[in-house]
Amino acid sequence: MLRLSLMPVRVGVVGLGGVADRIHLPACAAVPGLEIASAADPNSQTRQTMAEKFNIRETYTGFEELLAKSRPDFIIIGTPPGSHYEICRQALEAGVHVFCEKPFMPTVEEATKIVDLAREKNLLLRVNNQYRYMTYYAETKRRLEQGEFGRPYYIQCWQQMFHPPGQETNWRSSLKQYVLFEFGTHALDLACFFFDALPQSINAFTPKVRPEFDADVLVNATLRFPDERLANFSFNRVTHAPEKYLEMRIDCEKASLRISLGGVARLSIDWAKNSRRFYIKHGFVRGGQARAEVNGVPHTYCNSGSPEFAAATAEHLKLFVKQMALPQRPTDAAEHARDVLNLVFAGYESANTGETVRLPSR
């Protein structure tokens, strides 16, 4: 149960690794009325370092002790996904709301059980696919809903970098299902966000272009959405091309939109054939940018000067805390996270069989 409204909402953070340091704890500190009450991590040096950095009064070696002694209003799970099911289960059984980092669960079956348990207990469960809360994605969605760009009908999304699993220094280094499972949920969630729908089918390829890497380091997937709409994804973690963290193009009836996440630096001179003139594209932003192109002429409508991973998580947490106070806690976000996870594994099934996988309608 939540405390009186004048009392702070107490959060316990489970896992004090890099995601807690860079995202979870800074996000908590940015939410008014939220108190970082406790944290758990098996590494004593990590506990000490993070407690001093973020002024955490109570630290524990394990989440069971945190739940029993600290009794937070909700927990944030930042541990590897293999541990998510058991932590979620014990927290919900103890009457504690759950804010879980992605990837949600190792299997769809586990995700379904946890969603069902949250519904049974009337507790809030959300998964931190926070990109939709970044300003350039949120502003794009707002303008799409207002009809400024017309109906969106085609999404292209790509990532390019040289970052195979061997360059990871944590649990990701041993993943066999790597890019689509660990990163792909963000991009897939964004496509569903902009189309306001789940796809009807997926056709995916994960060719072994570099046999020394026993993981999906190259992914190409085509998704068919209702109402004659398509999305295409290309993730390449073994290219030597200039790094692009996440690029997205949304073709609409009235404009073509380009959203860049991970820093933008450009200088080019192009020819717009409709207006029959040259124009210069230039700029540098560290966070991200969204721009619309009409008749070949670009117009930037959103810039972000710094990375927004923590800030977007803070926005997500504000919504989370607000929904905690509802008498009936919604499960739609948790169900959507489960459906996106199902989409990920349908992609792997398609890649393994060479067949298009049709998805259930919701």
Side-chain angles (χ1 to χ4, degrees), residues 191-214:
C192 297
F193 179 55
F194 290 127
F195 280 158
D196 196 25
L198 289 167
Q200 297 171 317
S201 66
I202 182 171
N203 193 12
F205 304 90
T206 58
K208 300 292 185 182
V209 292
R210 295 286 294 270
E212 66 269 35
F213 302 124
D214 187 21

PDB file of all heavy atoms in Angstrom, residues 191-214:
ATOM      1  N   ALA A 191       8.159   1.377 -33.195  1.00  0.00           N
ATOM      2  CA  ALA A 191       7.308   1.168 -34.375  1.00  0.00           C
ATOM      3  C   ALA A 191       5.855   0.978 -33.953  1.00  0.00           C
ATOM      4  O   ALA A 191       4.934   1.557 -34.564  1.00  0.00           O
ATOM      5  CB  ALA A 191       7.804  -0.030 -35.171  1.00  0.00           C
ATOM      6  N   CYS A 192       5.631   0.180 -32.904  1.00  0.00           N
ATOM      7  CA  CYS A 192       4.274  -0.005 -32.395  1.00  0.00           C
ATOM      8  C   CYS A 192       3.704   1.315 -31.868  1.00  0.00           C
ATOM      9  O   CYS A 192       2.510   1.602 -32.021  1.00  0.00           O
ATOM     10  CB  CYS A 192       4.276  -1.053 -31.281  1.00  0.00           C
ATOM     11  SG  CYS A 192       4.785  -2.719 -31.791  1.00  0.00           S
ATOM     12  N   PHE A 193       4.561   2.114 -31.260  1.00  0.00           N
ATOM     13  CA  PHE A 193       4.179   3.410 -30.711  1.00  0.00           C
ATOM     14  C   PHE A 193       3.700   4.349 -31.814  1.00  0.00           C
ATOM     15  O   PHE A 193       2.635   4.971 -31.715  1.00  0.00           O
ATOM     16  CB  PHE A 193       5.395   3.982 -29.991  1.00  0.00           C
ATOM     17  CG  PHE A 193       5.230   5.337 -29.367  1.00  0.00           C
ATOM     18  CD1 PHE A 193       4.214   5.594 -28.456  1.00  0.00           C
ATOM     19  CD2 PHE A 193       6.127   6.357 -29.663  1.00  0.00           C
ATOM     20  CE1 PHE A 193       4.091   6.847 -27.862  1.00  0.00           C
ATOM     21  CE2 PHE A 193       6.021   7.601 -29.068  1.00  0.00           C
ATOM     22  CZ  PHE A 193       4.992   7.848 -28.173  1.00  0.00           C
ATOM     23  N   PHE A 194       4.453   4.438 -32.892  1.00  0.00           N
ATOM     24  CA  PHE A 194       4.092   5.358 -33.967  1.00  0.00           C
ATOM     25  C   PHE A 194       2.917   4.858 -34.806  1.00  0.00           C
ATOM     26  O   PHE A 194       2.098   5.660 -35.271  1.00  0.00           O
ATOM     27  CB  PHE A 194       5.302   5.641 -34.852  1.00  0.00           C
ATOM     28  CG  PHE A 194       6.349   6.482 -34.183  1.00  0.00           C
ATOM     29  CD1 PHE A 194       7.670   6.070 -34.134  1.00  0.00           C
ATOM     30  CD2 PHE A 194       6.014   7.687 -33.587  1.00  0.00           C
ATOM     31  CE1 PHE A 194       8.636   6.848 -33.509  1.00  0.00           C
ATOM     32  CE2 PHE A 194       6.973   8.473 -32.961  1.00  0.00           C
ATOM     33  CZ  PHE A 194       8.284   8.047 -32.922  1.00  0.00           C
ATOM     34  N   PHE A 195       2.817   3.554 -34.998  1.00  0.00           N
ATOM     35  CA  PHE A 195       1.683   3.008 -35.741  1.00  0.00           C
ATOM     36  C   PHE A 195       0.467   2.749 -34.844  1.00  0.00           C
ATOM     37  O   PHE A 195      -0.615   2.433 -35.342  1.00  0.00           O
ATOM     38  CB  PHE A 195       2.082   1.709 -36.438  1.00  0.00           C
ATOM     39  CG  PHE A 195       2.846   1.894 -37.724  1.00  0.00           C
ATOM     40  CD1 PHE A 195       3.655   0.877 -38.217  1.00  0.00           C
ATOM     41  CD2 PHE A 195       2.748   3.066 -38.452  1.00  0.00           C
ATOM     42  CE1 PHE A 195       4.344   1.033 -39.409  1.00  0.00           C
ATOM     43  CE2 PHE A 195       3.432   3.229 -39.651  1.00  0.00           C
ATOM     44  CZ  PHE A 195       4.241   2.208 -40.125  1.00  0.00           C
ATOM     45  N   ASP A 196       0.659   2.849 -33.532  1.00  0.00           N
ATOM     46  CA  ASP A 196      -0.407   2.608 -32.563  1.00  0.00           C
ATOM     47  C   ASP A 196      -1.058   1.246 -32.796  1.00  0.00           C
ATOM     48  O   ASP A 196      -2.284   1.094 -32.788  1.00  0.00           O
ATOM     49  CB  ASP A 196      -1.461   3.719 -32.640  1.00  0.00           C
ATOM     50  CG  ASP A 196      -2.372   3.747 -31.411  1.00  0.00           C
ATOM     51  OD1 ASP A 196      -1.928   3.272 -30.347  1.00  0.00           O
ATOM     52  OD2 ASP A 196      -3.506   4.234 -31.527  1.00  0.00           O
ATOM     53  N   ALA A 197      -0.195   0.236 -32.984  1.00  0.00           N
ATOM     54  CA  ALA A 197      -0.694  -1.111 -33.258  1.00  0.00           C
ATOM     55  C   ALA A 197       0.447  -2.109 -33.105  1.00  0.00           C
ATOM     56  O   ALA A 197       1.634  -1.742 -33.154  1.00  0.00           O
ATOM     57  CB  ALA A 197      -1.273  -1.196 -34.664  1.00  0.00           C
ATOM     58  N   LEU A 198       0.082  -3.360 -32.939  1.00  0.00           N
ATOM     59  CA  LEU A 198       1.041  -4.453 -32.995  1.00  0.00           C
ATOM     60  C   LEU A 198       1.084  -4.993 -34.423  1.00  0.00           C
ATOM     61  O   LEU A 198       0.092  -4.920 -35.151  1.00  0.00           O
ATOM     62  CB  LEU A 198       0.631  -5.571 -32.036  1.00  0.00           C
ATOM     63  CG  LEU A 198       0.782  -5.277 -30.543  1.00  0.00           C
ATOM     64  CD1 LEU A 198       0.038  -6.329 -29.733  1.00  0.00           C
ATOM     65  CD2 LEU A 198       2.253  -5.236 -30.145  1.00  0.00           C
ATOM     66  N   PRO A 199       2.225  -5.533 -34.848  1.00  0.00           N
ATOM     67  CA  PRO A 199       2.296  -6.068 -36.213  1.00  0.00           C
ATOM     68  C   PRO A 199       1.512  -7.357 -36.359  1.00  0.00           C
ATOM     69  O   PRO A 199       1.223  -8.052 -35.381  1.00  0.00           O
ATOM     70  CB  PRO A 199       3.800  -6.299 -36.408  1.00  0.00           C
ATOM     71  CG  PRO A 199       4.335  -6.513 -35.030  1.00  0.00           C
ATOM     72  CD  PRO A 199       3.511  -5.634 -34.137  1.00  0.00           C
ATOM     73  N   GLN A 200       1.184  -7.666 -37.605  1.00  0.00           N
ATOM     74  CA  GLN A 200       0.466  -8.895 -37.916  1.00  0.00           C
ATOM     75  C   GLN A 200       1.406 -10.047 -38.238  1.00  0.00           C
ATOM     76  O   GLN A 200       1.040 -11.218 -38.063  1.00  0.00           O
ATOM     77  CB  GLN A 200      -0.469  -8.656 -39.105  1.00  0.00           C
ATOM     78  CG  GLN A 200      -1.547  -7.626 -38.847  1.00  0.00           C
ATOM     79  CD  GLN A 200      -2.306  -7.267 -40.098  1.00  0.00           C
ATOM     80  OE1 GLN A 200      -1.717  -7.077 -41.170  1.00  0.00           O
ATOM     81  NE2 GLN A 200      -3.632  -7.168 -39.986  1.00  0.00           N
ATOM     82  N   SER A 201       2.616  -9.716 -38.715  1.00  0.00           N
ATOM     83  CA  SER A 201       3.561 -10.768 -39.068  1.00  0.00           C
ATOM     84  C   SER A 201       4.975 -10.202 -39.058  1.00  0.00           C
ATOM     85  O   SER A 201       5.174  -8.982 -39.116  1.00  0.00           O
ATOM     86  CB  SER A 201       3.248 -11.359 -40.449  1.00  0.00           C
ATOM     87  OG  SER A 201       3.443 -10.380 -41.470  1.00  0.00           O
ATOM     88  N   ILE A 202       5.951 -11.116 -38.998  1.00  0.00           N
ATOM     89  CA  ILE A 202       7.355 -10.735 -39.052  1.00  0.00           C
ATOM     90  C   ILE A 202       8.111 -11.735 -39.910  1.00  0.00           C
ATOM     91  O   ILE A 202       7.868 -12.936 -39.860  1.00  0.00           O
ATOM     92  CB  ILE A 202       7.975 -10.657 -37.635  1.00  0.00           C
ATOM     93  CG1 ILE A 202       9.446 -10.197 -37.712  1.00  0.00           C
ATOM     94  CG2 ILE A 202       7.843 -11.979 -36.892  1.00  0.00           C
ATOM     95  CD1 ILE A 202      10.053  -9.877 -36.357  1.00  0.00           C
ATOM     96  N   ASN A 203       9.023 -11.213 -40.711  1.00  0.00           N
ATOM     97  CA  ASN A 203       9.917 -12.027 -41.532  1.00  0.00           C
ATOM     98  C   ASN A 203      11.330 -11.543 -41.242  1.00  0.00           C
ATOM     99  O   ASN A 203      11.659 -10.391 -41.552  1.00  0.00           O
ATOM    100  CB  ASN A 203       9.576 -11.866 -43.011  1.00  0.00           C
ATOM    101  CG  ASN A 203      10.246 -12.910 -43.868  1.00  0.00           C
ATOM    102  OD1 ASN A 203      10.780 -13.887 -43.365  1.00  0.00           O
ATOM    103  ND2 ASN A 203      10.230 -12.708 -45.174  1.00  0.00           N
ATOM    104  N   ALA A 204      12.154 -12.365 -40.609  1.00  0.00           N
ATOM    105  CA  ALA A 204      13.455 -11.925 -40.123  1.00  0.00           C
ATOM    106  C   ALA A 204      14.577 -12.807 -40.653  1.00  0.00           C
ATOM    107  O   ALA A 204      14.385 -13.987 -40.963  1.00  0.00           O
ATOM    108  CB  ALA A 204      13.477 -11.924 -38.596  1.00  0.00           C
ATOM    109  N   PHE A 205      15.760 -12.195 -40.727  1.00  0.00           N
ATOM    110  CA  PHE A 205      16.970 -12.894 -41.156  1.00  0.00           C
ATOM    111  C   PHE A 205      18.099 -12.534 -40.195  1.00  0.00           C
ATOM    112  O   PHE A 205      18.280 -11.370 -39.841  1.00  0.00           O
ATOM    113  CB  PHE A 205      17.361 -12.489 -42.582  1.00  0.00           C
ATOM    114  CG  PHE A 205      16.276 -12.699 -43.595  1.00  0.00           C
ATOM    115  CD1 PHE A 205      15.359 -11.685 -43.865  1.00  0.00           C
ATOM    116  CD2 PHE A 205      16.157 -13.897 -44.273  1.00  0.00           C
ATOM    117  CE1 PHE A 205      14.351 -11.861 -44.790  1.00  0.00           C
ATOM    118  CE2 PHE A 205      15.142 -14.089 -45.196  1.00  0.00           C
ATOM    119  CZ  PHE A 205      14.241 -13.066 -45.459  1.00  0.00           C
ATOM    120  N   THR A 206      18.866 -13.540 -39.791  1.00  0.00           N
ATOM    121  CA  THR A 206      20.039 -13.310 -38.946  1.00  0.00           C
ATOM    122  C   THR A 206      21.214 -14.109 -39.514  1.00  0.00           C
ATOM    123  O   THR A 206      21.686 -15.063 -38.907  1.00  0.00           O
ATOM    124  CB  THR A 206      19.770 -13.741 -37.484  1.00  0.00           C
ATOM    125  OG1 THR A 206      19.396 -15.126 -37.457  1.00  0.00           O
ATOM    126  CG2 THR A 206      18.673 -12.904 -36.860  1.00  0.00           C
ATOM    127  N   PRO A 207      21.720 -13.736 -40.685  1.00  0.00           N
ATOM    128  CA  PRO A 207      22.766 -14.518 -41.342  1.00  0.00           C
ATOM    129  C   PRO A 207      24.076 -14.509 -40.547  1.00  0.00           C
ATOM    130  O   PRO A 207      24.419 -13.514 -39.904  1.00  0.00           O
ATOM    131  CB  PRO A 207      22.934 -13.813 -42.691  1.00  0.00           C
ATOM    132  CG  PRO A 207      22.469 -12.420 -42.444  1.00  0.00           C
ATOM    133  CD  PRO A 207      21.356 -12.535 -41.454  1.00  0.00           C
ATOM    134  N   LYS A 208      24.795 -15.605 -40.605  1.00  0.00           N
ATOM    135  CA  LYS A 208      26.086 -15.730 -39.922  1.00  0.00           C
ATOM    136  C   LYS A 208      27.174 -15.119 -40.809  1.00  0.00           C
ATOM    137  O   LYS A 208      28.012 -15.809 -41.387  1.00  0.00           O
ATOM    138  CB  LYS A 208      26.395 -17.206 -39.632  1.00  0.00           C
ATOM    139  CG  LYS A 208      25.370 -17.889 -38.739  1.00  0.00           C
ATOM    140  CD  LYS A 208      25.388 -17.340 -37.324  1.00  0.00           C
ATOM    141  CE  LYS A 208      24.436 -18.113 -36.424  1.00  0.00           C
ATOM    142  NZ  LYS A 208      24.397 -17.564 -35.051  1.00  0.00           N
ATOM    143  N   VAL A 209      27.180 -13.807 -40.878  1.00  0.00           N
ATOM    144  CA  VAL A 209      28.130 -13.106 -41.745  1.00  0.00           C
ATOM    145  C   VAL A 209      29.548 -13.126 -41.169  1.00  0.00           C
ATOM    146  O   VAL A 209      30.515 -12.960 -41.902  1.00  0.00           O
ATOM    147  CB  VAL A 209      27.680 -11.658 -41.989  1.00  0.00           C
ATOM    148  CG1 VAL A 209      26.414 -11.645 -42.832  1.00  0.00           C
ATOM    149  CG2 VAL A 209      27.453 -10.913 -40.673  1.00  0.00           C
ATOM    150  N   ARG A 210      29.659 -13.290 -39.864  1.00  0.00           N
ATOM    151  CA  ARG A 210      30.960 -13.417 -39.201  1.00  0.00           C
ATOM    152  C   ARG A 210      30.916 -14.662 -38.331  1.00  0.00           C
ATOM    153  O   ARG A 210      30.449 -14.621 -37.185  1.00  0.00           O
ATOM    154  CB  ARG A 210      31.255 -12.167 -38.359  1.00  0.00           C
ATOM    155  CG  ARG A 210      31.414 -10.871 -39.154  1.00  0.00           C
ATOM    156  CD  ARG A 210      32.749 -10.834 -39.894  1.00  0.00           C
ATOM    157  NE  ARG A 210      33.866 -10.788 -38.964  1.00  0.00           N
ATOM    158  CZ  ARG A 210      34.406  -9.668 -38.483  1.00  0.00           C
ATOM    159  NH1 ARG A 210      33.908  -8.489 -38.842  1.00  0.00           N
ATOM    160  NH2 ARG A 210      35.425  -9.712 -37.666  1.00  0.00           N
ATOM    161  N   PRO A 211      31.389 -15.811 -38.852  1.00  0.00           N
ATOM    162  CA  PRO A 211      31.255 -17.085 -38.131  1.00  0.00           C
ATOM    163  C   PRO A 211      31.905 -17.093 -36.752  1.00  0.00           C
ATOM    164  O   PRO A 211      31.543 -17.911 -35.897  1.00  0.00           O
ATOM    165  CB  PRO A 211      31.958 -18.081 -39.071  1.00  0.00           C
ATOM    166  CG  PRO A 211      31.907 -17.451 -40.418  1.00  0.00           C
ATOM    167  CD  PRO A 211      32.003 -15.982 -40.178  1.00  0.00           C
ATOM    168  N   GLU A 212      32.854 -16.187 -36.520  1.00  0.00           N
ATOM    169  CA  GLU A 212      33.505 -16.175 -35.206  1.00  0.00           C
ATOM    170  C   GLU A 212      32.587 -15.639 -34.109  1.00  0.00           C
ATOM    171  O   GLU A 212      32.902 -15.760 -32.915  1.00  0.00           O
ATOM    172  CB  GLU A 212      34.799 -15.349 -35.252  1.00  0.00           C
ATOM    173  CG  GLU A 212      34.625 -13.859 -35.494  1.00  0.00           C
ATOM    174  CD  GLU A 212      34.680 -13.478 -36.960  1.00  0.00           C
ATOM    175  OE1 GLU A 212      34.200 -14.281 -37.784  1.00  0.00           O
ATOM    176  OE2 GLU A 212      35.192 -12.384 -37.275  1.00  0.00           O
ATOM    177  N   PHE A 213      31.463 -15.038 -34.498  1.00  0.00           N
ATOM    178  CA  PHE A 213      30.520 -14.516 -33.513  1.00  0.00           C
ATOM    179  C   PHE A 213      29.273 -15.397 -33.525  1.00  0.00           C
ATOM    180  O   PHE A 213      28.503 -15.392 -34.483  1.00  0.00           O
ATOM    181  CB  PHE A 213      30.142 -13.071 -33.823  1.00  0.00           C
ATOM    182  CG  PHE A 213      31.316 -12.131 -33.867  1.00  0.00           C
ATOM    183  CD1 PHE A 213      31.560 -11.358 -34.988  1.00  0.00           C
ATOM    184  CD2 PHE A 213      32.190 -12.041 -32.787  1.00  0.00           C
ATOM    185  CE1 PHE A 213      32.639 -10.488 -35.036  1.00  0.00           C
ATOM    186  CE2 PHE A 213      33.270 -11.183 -32.832  1.00  0.00           C
ATOM    187  CZ  PHE A 213      33.504 -10.404 -33.953  1.00  0.00           C
ATOM    188  N   ASP A 214      29.087 -16.142 -32.439  1.00  0.00           N
ATOM    189  CA  ASP A 214      27.965 -17.080 -32.355  1.00  0.00           C
ATOM    190  C   ASP A 214      26.747 -16.376 -31.776  1.00  0.00           C
ATOM    191  O   ASP A 214      26.240 -16.727 -30.705  1.00  0.00           O
ATOM    192  CB  ASP A 214      28.359 -18.280 -31.496  1.00  0.00           C
ATOM    193  CG  ASP A 214      27.294 -19.373 -31.525  1.00  0.00           C
ATOM    194  OD1 ASP A 214      26.486 -19.383 -32.473  1.00  0.00           O
ATOM    195  OD2 ASP A 214      27.272 -20.203 -30.595  1.00  0.00           O
TER     196      ASP A 214
END
